[in-house]
Amino acid sequence: MNTLCANMNYHIQKVTGRKYGINRGKPPTKLISGSGREYYYEKGILAIVVEVGTRNIPDYIQNMSESVNENIPALLHALSEAKSYGQTAPQRVSNFHIESFSSNSCSLKWDYDNNPNVYFKIYRNLNNKMSCNHSSLIATTCSTSFIDENLKSGTMYFYYVRAINKLSKTKSPFAPKVKIKTLLGEDEFSRTIFPHASDVGFVAEKSPEANHGHFGVQSLKVGVSQNRGISYGIMRFDLSSIPEDAIILEAKVSLYPLNRVSAKIEKYGEWSLSIIDQDSISNIRDFEQVHQAKHIKTIGGSIPSEKLTQGIWSHWDCNEFERKIIQSQLKRQNIILKLEGPTLLPIGRDSQVMVFDLGYGNAGGGLHYRPAIDIKYTVPSKEISIELQNSMTITPDDITQDSMACGFNKDDEKIYAYMSFDLSKLPNPDESVITDAWIEISNTSTVKKTMDIRYNVEFVDLEEFSYQDIRERERIEFIGYEVSSAELGKKKKHHFIFDHYSKLALEEKQQNGEEAKFVIHPTSVLSRDHLIKWSHKGKKAAKLMVKYIKRRKHPLPSVVNLQCKVENKLVKLTWDKIEDNDLVGYYVVRNRWHVPKNPFDGVKLYAGSDNYTFDNFGSTKMDKYFAVFTYDNVPNFSQGTEIEYKA
């Protein structure tokens, strides 16, 4: 039903540009009384309520006519989908799941009875409750699997699939969606930071005494009303888990709009988020201080009232300049953000207030719906210089130790220069990542300008060092670009840069305790008798330069002995603790439809170091699946340990 609503939203937005919200679960009966929804539900008929206005008696010309016009195409779409739930529609796809994923790809699989008259359409969105149409369609296939490639690291993706009959074009209902957050890049870290309950709330102009009680319990009520006056949301995030010298690659702030009933004016006002100068405010619960606080920078784009969607996350994405400002706040180890909406009301109007979920308190939806700041970052690399370990000049007739020269002999046979480096100086490969590597080498001789000859550096795998072995060498990769004879005359020092594959090969050599071996050779077909000498002694001798960062590569072990039981009318999960100094905590996820295949494939219940948790917001009368993942400070997540709860 969420997908149907999202597709209706798409048609509404095409007409008026307005975005409607999609309620989380079943809306309160009192809000939709008279709509007939409850009557249809009693009959076992799926039904939804589409909001058509925010005032009891809206201005027909300005508001109501818009609502009528925008709802007609949405209603036509909904009616066209009705046959997807009929008896003649194809069967719904079952067991739609994520088989595997990496930092840039995802493998999807599902089950379906063999039917040559059926094919499948797969959709992908970057946010939840978004439309599934031509703009999000990524594949049409007859297979029951699909690999989605060229994805972005550390990014959330939502996938949907439905079956379609080739002859009738009738579509099945959508299978329950699956979602992933792709793995981080090899040099990346991430943090999702939530404010402490005492550090998030709202302050209102006309209730200074009550503002203290607005923190950690009540929802964020932001905007302006006759009763409260101006009200601001204020939140402080603890950044102490991020190194002070971190380089922020991406940052976004997310809030969950819970209720827009008090936003009564169509297309009026915008909600913006600003970084506050901490020196200009000492008490975040004091309205006057929040009101007068100095803004350092507004982040992301302001969201107008017609695009603040109840039940759909709102995001403020930071650009490079804004990320640098957040980076400057790392030394303070926290950041204060101020959320503000309109501050004046038109004549005759009494409220334009948007309500955002805190996740805390009786009105909160749980930990999953707390305000959050997501930061992806890396850290400055350290540089190490590795001296030349061994060098040779290898000709058809001889091998000369402690020498480096390449070219052609009088018989037009290639002469190879060989060099190797001892990698034992590099840090533990399981706890570090090579971010950059290059060979720095200088030539000590040149050739005539009339010669057009080029020289390559190859990363090779050699056991023996005869001329025949060199000719039949196993090539790992070329290092950097070739150097021409003309360049040798213009400059003496050259840098051969490792690509991604070469860096992985270098790490593998280090892991296996092997040397890194390279050969230099000419590539020209027009061979001529000549010899290029390369520096192999002293300060100008060839060097292997490596930049690296400290970062764990592999996840921790999975938890064992996961159990669930009902205790105090709540489902309680317990598991055995893992003894490991790199353990940061356990991440617990619930999914109503299938086993969570990754930490983001469901509703988050807990993240912390305890070895138990409760499903505080879940029913004990409903079947569901749980999974527990361990994580470190990157975070790398382990394989999930799964359990099914039977009501």
Side-chain angles (χ1 to χ4, degrees):
M1 295 303 284
N2 278 344
T3 306
L4 174 61
C5 291
N7 286 337
M8 293 175 71
N9 262 345
Y10 170 78
H11 290 282
I12 289 172
Q13 188 182 356
K14 283 203 301 184
V15 177
T16 61
R18 186 185 287 111
K19 290 184 179 179
Y20 281 110
I22 299 173
N23 260 301
R24 181 178 70 222
K26 184 177 175 182
T29 304
K30 65 181 181 180
L31 292 182
I32 56 166
S33 57
S35 68
R37 181 184 189 276
E38 299 307 303
Y39 169 79
Y40 291 118
Y41 260 72
E42 288 176 1
K43 301 294 184 182
I45 300 171
L46 292 176
I48 56 174
V49 177
V50 179
E51 181 183 5
V52 295
T54 56
R55 299 185 68 199
N56 291 330
I57 308 175
D59 183 317
Y60 178 81
I61 294 177
Q62 183 176 351
N63 300 137
M64 195 61 187
S65 61
E66 278 188 5
S67 294
V68 171
N69 291 336
E70 71 185 5
N71 273 274
I72 289 173
L75 181 60
L76 291 174
H77 170 78
L79 291 173
S80 72
E81 284 287 303
K83 59 184 178 182
S84 298
Y85 297 85
Q87 294 181 353
T88 60
Q91 178 186 353
R92 190 196 303 260
V93 166
S94 62
N95 193 28
F96 182 42
H97 65 280
I98 295 163
E99 184 74 8
S100 62
F101 62 98
S102 66
S103 62
N104 59 8
S105 68
C106 171
S107 175
L108 302 167
K109 285 195 174 183
W110 57 94
D111 294 339
Y112 206 84
D113 293 338
N114 187 28
N115 187 340
N117 293 322
V118 167
Y119 64 94
F120 307 95
K121 285 191 174 182
I122 303 164
Y123 302 84
R124 181 189 69 210
N125 284 314
L126 288 170
N127 291 304
N128 194 16
K129 298 181 183 177
M130 294 291 105
S131 59
C132 292
N133 52 37
H134 62 277
S135 63
S136 56
L137 177 66
I138 58 169
T140 300
T141 179
C142 293
S143 174
T144 55
S145 64
F146 175 72
I147 297 177
D148 191 15
E149 298 180 301
N150 302 313
L151 302 179
K152 191 176 180 181
S153 65
T155 302
M156 194 80 78
Y157 292 96
F158 299 81
Y159 291 95
Y160 307 79
V161 66
R162 74 189 318 181
I164 300 170
N165 186 287
K166 291 180 181 179
L167 302 176
S168 67
K169 302 301 180 183
T170 308
K171 305 167 186 175
S172 76
F174 283 94
K177 72 174 182 291
V178 295
K179 60 180 178 178
I180 63 159
K181 188 175 185 180
T182 49
L183 299 181
L184 293 166
E186 292 170 346
D187 61 342
E188 295 173 347
F189 301 79
S190 75
R191 295 289 183 270
T192 299
I193 302 171
F194 307 97
H196 296 298
S198 59
D199 286 338
V200 58
F202 75 94
V203 290
E205 180 182 14
K206 295 183 179 180
S207 58
E209 300 84 6
N211 284 337
H212 185 85
H214 294 162
F215 280 71
V217 179
Q218 295 202 27
S219 304
L220 285 176
K221 298 177 175 67
V222 181
V224 59
S225 67
Q226 286 185 349
N227 292 334
R228 293 191 185 90
I230 300 169
S231 56
Y232 300 112
I234 193 81
M235 56 202 93
R236 177 162 46 209
F237 293 91
D238 182 354
L239 303 179
S240 61
S241 63
I242 301 176
E244 290 185 10
D245 60 351
I247 302 163
I248 295 179
L249 306 173
E250 292 180 9
K252 73 174 179 182
V253 180
S254 303
L255 292 167
Y256 191 82
L258 185 63
N259 191 323
R260 60 170 297 135
V261 172
S262 297
K264 299 181 179 181
I265 310 169
E266 293 284 348
K267 297 183 178 180
Y268 180 78
E270 295 182 340
W271 278 255
S272 62
L273 201 60
S274 303
I275 301 172
I276 297 300
D277 183 351
Q278 297 185 46
D279 293 331
S280 68
I281 183 171
S282 59
N283 183 3
I284 62 173
R285 303 185 182 203
D286 184 286
F287 173 82
E288 282 303 320
Q289 288 195 36
V290 174
H291 183 64
Q292 300 294 338
K294 180 182 176 183
H295 291 205
I296 297 177
K297 178 73 173 65
T298 299
I299 62 174
S302 297
I303 302 179
S305 63
E306 65 271 20
K307 294 185 179 179
L308 266 176
T309 47
Q310 173 180 320
I312 302 175
W313 283 94
S314 293
H315 302 289
W316 285 263
D317 292 286
C318 300
N319 60 32
E320 183 180 3
F321 180 67
E322 293 158 0
R323 293 196 299 269
K324 286 182 177 178
I325 294 175
I326 296 175
Q327 209 167 290
S328 70
Q329 301 292 302
L330 293 176
K331 292 182 179 179
R332 291 180 173 267
Q333 297 193 337
N334 63 74
I335 187 171
I336 298 176
L337 301 180
K338 175 182 174 182
L339 178 65
E340 55 188 303
T343 56
L344 295 172
L345 286 170
I347 295 173
R349 303 300 179 93
D350 63 357
S351 177
Q352 188 70 347
V353 173
M354 193 70 197
V355 181
F356 298 87
D357 201 343
L358 279 191
Y360 302 105
N362 294 330
L367 299 181
H368 192 74
Y369 298 97
R370 290 176 293 175
I373 181 168
D374 287 281
I375 295 176
K376 184 165 75 173
Y377 67 94
T378 188
V379 293
S381 57
K382 297 179 180 179
E383 186 175 295
I384 187 170
S385 174
I386 301 175
E387 302 299 323
L388 187 64
Q389 174 81 3
N390 214 337
S391 64
M392 303 180 198
T393 298
I394 303 174
T395 70
D397 305 318
D398 192 20
I399 295 178
T400 305
Q401 297 281 349
D402 202 22
S403 167
M404 282 179 62
C406 67
F408 290 97
N409 64 13
K410 293 180 181 179
D411 297 324
D412 294 336
E413 294 174 304
K414 282 187 180 180
I415 298 171
Y416 297 89
Y418 167 85
M419 54 185 169
S420 66
F421 299 90
D422 180 6
L423 304 179
S424 61
K425 285 179 64 177
L426 292 175
N428 184 343
D430 290 330
E431 298 177 355
S432 62
V433 173
I434 294 175
T435 57
D436 289 293
W438 66 95
I439 292 174
E440 185 178 292
I441 189 170
S442 300
N443 59 296
T444 58
S445 66
T446 58
V447 296
K448 295 178 181 179
K449 292 183 179 180
T450 55
M451 288 188 179
D452 183 17
I453 301 176
R454 298 176 183 275
Y455 305 87
N456 269 332
V457 176
E458 278 185 26
F459 199 166
V460 296
D461 212 346
L462 283 173
E463 296 298 331
E464 303 294 334
F465 295 98
S466 69
Y467 187 77
Q468 191 65 24
D469 290 324
I470 288 288
R471 291 192 63 179
E472 297 174 358
R473 65 195 177 277
E474 181 181 342
R475 178 188 300 137
I476 296 175
E477 187 70 22
F478 287 109
I479 303 299
Y481 295 104
E482 58 190 19
V483 176
S484 69
S485 53
E487 288 179 272
L488 296 181
K490 292 178 183 178
K491 60 179 182 178
K492 300 298 183 184
K493 184 184 289 187
H494 309 277
H495 298 90
F496 294 87
I497 312 298
F498 284 60
D499 63 13
H500 181 72
Y501 180 77
S502 300
K503 286 185 287 186
L504 292 178
L506 190 64
E507 288 184 341
E508 184 180 354
K509 290 291 182 185
Q510 179 202 3
Q511 183 83 48
N512 296 334
E514 301 175 16
E515 290 182 331
K517 303 169 184 176
F518 305 88
V519 295
I520 312 174
H521 63 89
T523 62
S524 175
V525 177
L526 302 173
S527 58
R528 292 191 182 184
D529 178 20
H530 78 281
L531 202 63
I532 294 293
K533 295 181 180 180
W534 305 91
S535 181
H536 62 283
K537 288 184 178 180
K539 292 183 178 180
K540 293 184 178 180
K543 297 180 181 66
L544 173 60
M545 306 297 296
V546 176
K547 285 187 174 182
Y548 68 92
I549 61 171
K550 288 282 190 178
R551 181 190 185 275
R552 277 182 57 94
K553 286 181 181 171
H554 306 294
L556 294 157
S558 302
V559 302
V560 296
N561 196 26
L562 175 61
Q563 299 181 19
C564 68
K565 63 180 180 179
V566 176
E567 184 177 302
N568 296 326
K569 299 182 180 180
L570 296 173
V571 176
K572 181 180 181 180
L573 299 167
T574 60
W575 56 90
D576 291 348
K577 276 196 170 185
I578 289 179
E579 300 297 333
D580 193 304
N581 291 334
D582 290 329
L583 176 74
V584 172
Y586 309 93
Y587 199 101
V588 185
V589 182
R590 180 191 71 217
N591 194 302
R592 170 72 177 87
W593 309 104
H594 57 257
V595 173
K597 293 293 186 180
N598 66 81
F600 305 94
D601 187 18
V603 176
K604 174 185 175 183
L605 299 183
Y606 174 74
S609 57
D610 291 331
N611 64 328
Y612 72 93
T613 192
F614 290 91
D615 184 8
N616 291 303
F617 293 87
S619 170
T620 58
K621 299 178 181 179
M622 190 175 289
D623 295 348
K624 47 195 162 183
Y625 302 90
F626 297 95
V628 180
F629 304 83
T630 60
Y631 63 96
D632 56 21
N633 72 341
V634 173
N636 294 304
F637 289 95
S638 71
Q639 289 292 318
T641 301
E642 308 147 359
I643 193 168
E644 181 179 4
Y645 170 79
K646 287 287 189 180

